[in-house]
Amino acid sequence: MKIGIPKEVCPGEKRVAATPDSIEKLKLLGFSFVIESGAGDSSDFADSTYRAVGAEIVDNAKTVWDSADIIMKVNPPMLHPELGCEEAGLLGAGKTLISFIWPAQRPDLMQTLAATKGSVLAVDAVPRITRAQKLDVLSSMANIAGYRAVIEAAYHFGRFFTGQITAAGKVPPAKVLVVGAGVAGLAAIGAANGLGAIVRASDTRPEVADQIKSLGAEFLTVDYQEDGTGTGGYAKVMSAGYLKAQEAMLARQAMEVDIIITTALIPGKPAPRLITAGMVKSMKPGSVIVDLAAAQGGNCELSENGKVVVHHGVTIIGYSDLPSRLARQSSQLYSTNLQHLIEELCPRKDGVINIDMENDVIRGTTVIKEGVITYPPPPPKTAPAAPAPQLFAAPPVAAPKAAPAAHGHGGASAPSSNQSVAVLGLVAAVIFGLIGYGAPVAFLGHFTVFVLACFIGYMVIWNVTPALHTPLMSVTNAISSIIAIGALIQISSPGVLITILAWLAVVLTAVNMLGGFWVTQRMLRMFQK
């Protein structure tokens, strides 16, 4: 099959759906490529780089749509300014389109595409499951948007992010507030912290607190008990009481921070209004707000989609094309996601895709198959909970029958766990007693030390924080090489064989000891910031 890459016609779009690297990998699966001339120019991928990997370059978009079996794009089909027709009408029966579609928000486009009798896979509809993470275009683009939001804020802020003490005076560090700690929010936190700012973040989902702290930011809590965890990793709509408490918290923060980056979105709903006009007015002159939700109505009341505006001395950035402002990086990640999608569609590696509706990843991504609208997909199948593994299969125990109360007798009961422990202890005591009765005196001394060492080792390991188990194992591995002492003693023993074995034991245990402590230090550095 032939894959076509037309040039994006959306105003301001600089990304491209395939890079030379992704083309090389997909050609190994048996696919060929036809690319419109100039499709990668804005992403710094010249036509010559595509020719170098064996792609065919054509002069116009219609040739791409006509000759290709699979069309890969970034933006949804729209009116082509040069051809004077809708891109959706160029699809045709038997062809497959892979791009952003937004099927829930574009029912008219869905009907137009279905009329072509072609198939459509929406990359924005990839299921949010673990197996589909490598196809998750939304996360890839959100990651770039969060990083770029910090860069835009730094450009408009006009001051250092990091604090400095110079001969000309002291420069305080910038204070950054990130609202929403999804993929974009976490990327923004990491970038702002890397630039030296004091970063704070809030989110309605309490489970992201550890992720925020791990990136060096302070997690801000709302004085209201409510879990905001929704489906698919997104947040849910919060109650009026929570929203009121959140507004009070954000109002206090707006007066303190220099930069606010908002990333709050709920699928299928307008962006929640979090930053009011009053909060903007209370911010210090020169402050910056970057609203990543501007295209869906905005988290800030005064933001405008695609524009930079200034109110009360505060710069409000409402760009909706942040991934496109890092076009080369965005194209590389986007094309890699599509490469993984094609690999999922072509399990036989024969250059032919198979839209397998039994595959949960492909089923969720496919919104139209051969002219039939298949969106929305059915809810995911939930596998039955597996029974807890058991080391020993215990026979069923019949429930005891209680005697009538009038007779004054109680029912028989099964042995309790305390009784079982007592029985085991008694058996162990008998075994140790028999060993002590018949064993030599020297053996009893060594055996006692051995039992006590096992007990102490068990208690030490049991009381260690689980996060430190691996470093602890490497230390105990090194300490266990105390057998080197025994080897050193045997070196002076008569006999060449014993001497050689003793030297070999010394060398091996020395490597074990040094390696154990070296691995320990390396692991402990992972726990240090």
Side-chain angles (χ1 to χ4, degrees), residues 5 7 15 151 160 173 179-180 191 197 225 271 284 334 343 399 426 456 473 481 502 517:
I5 311 295
K7 188 175 182 179
R15 292 171 290 179
I151 302 303
F160 291 138
V179 183
Q225 295 297 322
K284 293 173 285 189
Y334 184 80
E343 292 171 352
L426 180 60
I456 293 173
M473 291 303 100
S481 297
F517 284 112

Side-chain angles (χ1 to χ4, degrees), residues 341-361:
L341 177 58
I342 295 295
E343 292 171 352
E344 189 79 19
L345 289 165
C346 184
R348 296 183 179 180
K349 301 181 180 180
D350 55 357
V352 179
I353 64 171
N354 175 30
I355 303 179
D356 181 10
M357 301 302 272
E358 297 299 321
N359 184 321
D360 52 351
V361 175

Side-chain angles (χ1 to χ4, degrees), residues 404-426:
H407 293 98
H409 298 289
S413 60
S416 65
S417 59
N418 291 334
Q419 292 174 333
S420 300
V421 172
V423 171
L424 289 176
L426 180 60

Side-chain angles (χ1 to χ4, degrees), residues 204 206 221-228 236 238-239 241-243 245:
T204 59
T221 58
V222 176
D223 190 16
Y224 194 92
Q225 295 297 322
E226 183 176 355
D227 189 352
K236 69 176 184 180
M238 306 303 289
S239 66
Y242 182 92
L243 294 176

Side-chain angles (χ1 to χ4, degrees), residues 370-392:
E370 298 175 356
V372 178
I373 296 177
T374 60
Y375 182 85
K381 299 177 182 179
T382 56
Q390 295 182 352
L391 296 179
F392 304 97

